[in-house]
């Protein structure tokens, strides 16, 4: 069973829900607390949702999904984590991951607009795997690293390429408001291969496949990435790790392909689902 953060027309605050067929069953708590509850918590939430009467089920189409974790404490991203993407940008295989951070205000949800800002037209797409943390963790080792993972989702690391290259650091080009799409839901780690390895990953712009690869091709897989991150940083429930993108991004094409108002961008990861957003210009 998959889990979402959502809001109805009458909700003041975000709500946690479980997806049952094409409906949502509201659950107590929030996504970070569910992640922290571990396997037992996910099992209990699954039982509760499965037993919910029809009157407690809202059609999925009638709710507004929010980013899977609406305001993560930390969003840690990897660059150049697929050799083919590093090569298309003229980079060699890195000896150490290119880490950078995103802020919560940069997020948008499945089905919500992905915003092209006033400042630039060079908005690019990046299909990525999102890892959602479920326990406080520091100094992880390969034997226990994946125990820190609550689940996985899809992410579109929308990037303003000209702003990314204005400085030696990538932060400014990666943090424009509503450029990082995150969803549609969390798939528990137990429902996928260890480390979400071996999953097909694609981006499609207006139905045309732009990127097509497999998470098996990540240079720094989930287990190794978690070990490296926690050498320095304590991870906490609800934190998110974004695992980098394969080749095929817009800036590396001839001519470059930028997302524009009216476009539809889809990110699909095998076993997780499809994250879909239309592009809108900032008002």
């Amino acid at each position: 069973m998959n889990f979402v953060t959502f809001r109805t027309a009458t909700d003041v605050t975000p709500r946690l829900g479980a997806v049952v067929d094409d409906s949502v069953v509201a659950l107590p708590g929030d996504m970070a607390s569910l992640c922290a509850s571990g396997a037992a918590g996910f099992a209990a939430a699954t039982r509760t949702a499965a037993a919910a009467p029809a009157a407690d089920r809202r059609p999925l189409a009638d709710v507004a999904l929010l980013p899977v974790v609406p305001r993560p404490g930390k969003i840690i991203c990897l660059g150049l984590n697929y050799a083919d993407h590093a090569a298309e940008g003229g980079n060699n295989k890195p000896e150490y991951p290119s880490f950078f951070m995103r802020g919560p205000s940069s997020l948008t949800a499945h089905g919500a607009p992905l915003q092209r800002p006033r400042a630039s037209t060079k908005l690019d797409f990046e299909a990525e795997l999102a890892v959602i943390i479920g326990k406080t963790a520091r100094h992880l080792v390969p034997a226990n690293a994946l125990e820190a993972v609550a689940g996985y989702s899809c992410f579109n690391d929308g990037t303003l390429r000209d702003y990314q290259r204005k400085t030696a650091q990538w932060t400014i080009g990666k943090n424009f408001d509503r450029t990082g799409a995150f969803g549609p839901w969390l798939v528990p780690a137990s429902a996928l291969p260890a480390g979400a390895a071996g999953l097909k990953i694609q981006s499609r712009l207006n139905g045309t496949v732009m990127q097509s690869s497999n998470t098996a091709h990540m240079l720094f897989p989930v287990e190794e990435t978690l070990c490296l991150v926690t050498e320095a940083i304590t991870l906490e429930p609800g934190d998110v790790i974004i695992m980098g993108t394969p080749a095929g991004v817009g800036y590396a094409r001839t001519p470059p392909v930028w997302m524009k108002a009216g476009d539809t961008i889809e990110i699909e990861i095998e076993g997780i689902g499809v994250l879909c957003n239309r592009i809108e210009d900032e008002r």
Side-chain angles (χ1 to χ4, degrees), residues 5-260:
T5 301
F6 73 98
R7 180 180 280 131
T8 69
T10 59
D11 288 325
V12 176
T13 58
R15 306 184 72 179
L16 174 67
V19 179
V20 181
D21 298 324
D22 291 324
S23 64
V24 177
V25 175
L27 299 170
D30 58 26
M31 189 64 77
S33 63
L34 176 64
C35 290
S37 69
F42 277 104
T46 298
R47 290 193 297 271
T48 298
D56 291 343
R57 301 185 181 192
R58 297 174 173 85
L60 191 58
D62 290 351
V63 305
L65 295 185
L66 301 178
V68 175
V69 184
R71 296 196 65 82
K74 294 181 283 294
I75 308 167
I76 302 171
C77 307
L78 277 71
L80 309 179
N81 199 27
Y82 289 75
D84 55 1
H85 175 57
E88 72 181 352
N91 299 290
N92 297 320
K93 175 183 175 180
E95 297 181 4
Y96 187 83
S98 296
F99 289 119
F100 60 93
M101 307 287 282
R102 266 189 178 268
S105 62
S106 74
L107 299 181
T108 192
H110 169 75
L114 195 156
Q115 182 172 272
R116 186 176 74 165
R118 299 176 189 176
S120 173
T121 60
K122 296 181 178 180
L123 177 61
D124 207 347
F125 47 85
E126 293 191 359
E128 310 208 13
L129 173 72
V131 181
I132 300 104
I133 300 301
K135 62 187 293 186
T136 301
R138 182 79 196 278
H139 298 303
L140 292 170
V141 296
N144 67 6
L146 294 180
E147 296 174 9
V149 178
Y152 298 93
S153 191
C154 303
F155 199 87
N156 185 354
D157 188 25
T159 304
L160 279 302
R161 294 298 184 190
D162 46 352
Y163 276 79
Q164 180 185 3
R165 293 178 172 81
K166 282 181 181 286
T167 72
Q169 302 297 322
W170 298 349
T171 300
I172 196 68
K174 298 283 190 173
N175 276 279
F176 277 78
D177 288 353
R178 296 166 59 189
T179 54
F182 182 19
W185 39 60
L186 177 148
V187 177
S190 61
L192 294 171
L199 304 180
K200 296 176 183 177
I201 181 170
Q202 277 194 348
S203 65
R204 297 186 292 269
L205 184 62
N206 300 323
T208 298
V209 174
M210 308 300 282
Q211 298 172 276
S212 186
S213 189
N214 193 293
T215 58
H217 299 152
M218 291 189 293
L219 299 175
F220 300 94
V222 173
E223 177 184 284
E224 184 177 0
T225 296
L226 293 174
C227 293
L228 293 172
V229 168
T230 60
E231 287 178 345
I233 298 170
T234 297
L235 294 176
E236 299 166 308
D239 286 348
V240 182
I241 312 293
I242 309 301
M243 292 299 300
T245 200
V249 295
Y251 83 84
R253 295 172 175 270
T254 305
V257 175
W258 309 119
M259 294 186 291
K260 62 186 184 302

